[in-house]
Amino acid sequence: MALVKDSFDVVILGGGAAGLMCAIEAGKRGRRVAVLEHADRCGKKILISGGGRCNFTNLHSRPENFISANPHFAKSALARYIPADFIALVEKHGIRYHEKTLGRLFCDGSAREILQMLETECKAAKVEIFVSANVLEVTRTTEFVLRTARTEFHSPVLVVATGGLSIPKMGATSFGYDLARQFGIKLQEPRPALVPLLLAAEDRSHYCDLAGVSAEVIASCDGAQFREKMLITHRGLSGPAILQISSYWKPPAPVLIDLAPEKKVTAAFEDAKAPRNVKALNAAFQEFLPHRFADRWLEVNPPSAFTNQALAELERRAHRWEIRPAGTEGYEKAEVTAGGVDTDELSAKTMESRRVPGLFFIGEVVDVTGHLGGFNFQCAWASGACAGGSV
Ligand SMILES: Cc1cc2nc3c(=O)[nH]c(=O)nc-3n(C[C@H](O)[C@H](O)[C@H](O)COP(=O)(O)OP(=O)(O)OC[C@H]3O[C@@H](n4cnc5c(N)ncnc54)[C@H](O)[C@@H]3O)c2cc1C
């Protein structure tokens, strides 16, 4: 069967958050845009995001909320498409939303509304969306040619918006990274991020039967720190504090956990008349930690004595509980992929490859990873809008 030839001004590979935003902006500028999505529908990750309510942006988005080998790269795109721009779009579509905590904005209803909004905007901008589009080959002569089983898509501009490797069952592929390699574009090694950590066997045997117990802690690693909830799981640690710090963790570094932020756990023992025994110590730790976890932690990390010096050492250890994770739960459980297309390869203004004119990379496939809390979508919207404004 002969291949059908179809020509566009812009072909976007991947109909997720970044790809759809790029399509809207390019379509609004009168470009003839095709989005090729290999799944049977666009935006599957949007639908499951934020527990089904989509944490679509963060009011306090700042460059410090993004991790990259070049921390300055994302500044330009983030400054040109800010949370208020996306909020204006959400409000234009009458979508109701609320701030949960720490500037994190969620839909009152469902993440479906955000996807519907993007699809409506695409339609208005005359974007053509091809789902179940399985690209077999990409070549470049005077223009890019993307071949599927039935169609050959021709375009002078190719935008790669294929996302990261997390949640393979939702359609994540390494296609974007492979394409970058095909065109000689460098990558920062991809790795799972915003991901639960696995405890080493000994720690697992000490703590994992307490799965479900949580506490507010400060988790720190590699100069970063997060004060949020930590959750004990069947295989290790999770909860927002751990997910956040996982993005900074690389083996074999330790993760340090302050179990009682800004508190002096052993303060009661400053009173000379206070009894000094295991029961009193457990009671002191139970003030700040769930009882079962307090008791267990002290069982595993007992003070060497009840002297002032030994209690001071225990206090120090409670604020610097050192964990050496055995690994992470991997891409199956990771919310995002850190690493990706090296930002040195891209123009920060347009997201276009410096090496291959007409080739753009946007969204999670690029080595810019947001903290937990709506930052990853903000980065997808911003990089998508930035490329869409220049293609
Ligand atoms: C469970 C979960 C919850 C999340 N919740 C939030 C949240 O509340 N807030 C937040 O900010 N971030 C959240 N994230 C992260 C956020 O979803 C991503 O960072 C964001 O979707 C990245 O946008 P993207 O367009 O780069 O990639 P994606 O949205 O992943 O889109 C990539 C698209 O490309 C398609 N694709 C892949 N390979 C090919 C190929 N070869 N050919 C054609 N198409 C292809 C995929 O099917 C997909 O549709 C969450 C992630 C997960 C996994």
Side-chain angles (χ1 to χ4, degrees), residues 58-125:
N58 193 300
L59 292 172
H60 312 308
S61 177
R62 280 188 298 268
E64 303 82 80
N65 298 115
F66 298 87
I67 308 164
S68 171
N70 175 0
H72 302 293
F73 176 82
K75 283 182 182 167
S76 170
L78 290 169
R80 278 181 295 137
Y81 191 91
I82 60 175
D85 293 320
F86 195 77
I87 294 167
L89 191 59
V90 165
E91 289 180 351
K92 178 180 140 194
H93 285 258
I95 299 172
R96 295 165 67 96
Y97 62 91
H98 60 279
E99 179 181 348
K100 214 168 181 179
T101 49
L102 307 168
R104 298 167 181 173
L105 299 190
F106 288 76
C107 298
D108 286 359
S110 142
R112 195 168 293 278
E113 294 171 85
I114 297 292
L115 183 56
Q116 262 164 14
M117 171 189 90
L118 295 170
E119 288 177 334
T120 304
E121 289 285 325
C122 278
K123 211 167 175 185

Side-chain angles (χ1 to χ4, degrees), residues 39-273:
D40 57 4
R41 63 162 310 157
C42 287
K44 284 192 175 181
K45 252 185 209 167
I46 297 174
L47 293 177
I48 58 160
S49 67
R53 288 236 162 97
C54 188
N55 177 193
F56 55 79
T57 192
N58 193 300
L59 292 172
H60 312 308
S61 177
R62 280 188 298 268
E64 303 82 80
N65 298 115
F66 298 87
I67 308 164
S68 171
N70 175 0
H72 302 293
F73 176 82
K75 283 182 182 167
S76 170
L78 290 169
R80 278 181 295 137
Y81 191 91
I82 60 175
D85 293 320
F86 195 77
I87 294 167
L89 191 59
V90 165
E91 289 180 351
K92 178 180 140 194
H93 285 258
I95 299 172
R96 295 165 67 96
Y97 62 91
H98 60 279
E99 179 181 348
K100 214 168 181 179
T101 49
L102 307 168
R104 298 167 181 173
L105 299 190
F106 288 76
C107 298
D108 286 359
S110 142
R112 195 168 293 278
E113 294 171 85
I114 297 292
L115 183 56
Q116 262 164 14
M117 171 189 90
L118 295 170
E119 288 177 334
T120 304
E121 289 285 325
C122 278
K123 211 167 175 185
K126 300 197 169 48
V127 172
E128 291 183 53
I129 297 179
F130 300 82
V131 295
S132 305
N134 191 13
V135 175
L136 304 169
E137 190 187 43
V138 178
T139 51
R140 178 170 178 264
T141 48
T142 49
E143 55 185 2
F144 291 95
V145 181
L146 290 86
R147 192 168 60 78
T148 66
R150 287 210 211 123
T151 312
E152 232 180 50
F153 293 88
H154 289 244
S155 173
V157 172
L158 173 59
V159 182
V160 182
T162 45
L165 295 170
S166 40
I167 323 282
K169 64 173 190 280
M170 302 252 44
T173 71
S174 64
F175 201 91
Y177 306 117
D178 299 340
L179 204 63
R181 286 191 195 99
Q182 178 188 331
F183 285 101
I185 291 169
K186 277 186 295 165
L187 298 176
Q188 291 286 331
E189 191 55 30
R191 60 180 198 283
L194 297 181
V195 62
L197 295 174
L198 298 172
L199 285 176
E202 198 181 357
D203 279 334
R204 203 183 287 190
S205 71
H206 288 147
Y207 300 107
C208 286
D209 63 312
L210 302 180
V213 170
S214 71
E216 186 180 313
V217 302
I218 296 176
S220 52
C221 181
D222 195 24
Q225 62 171 47
F226 296 92
R227 183 176 181 156
E228 287 200 66
K229 281 255 160 77
M230 171 190 83
L231 172 74
I232 299 176
T233 71
H234 291 289
R235 286 147 57 93
L237 299 176
S238 187
I242 299 298
L243 297 179
Q244 297 277 33
I245 212 64
S246 74
S247 302
Y248 290 84
W249 178 73
K250 285 184 188 157
V255 171
L256 298 176
I257 296 173
D258 182 345
L259 292 170
E262 293 174 64
K263 304 280 174 8
K264 185 158 188 198
V265 197
T266 56
F269 300 102
E270 283 163 10
D271 178 351
K273 285 187 247 132

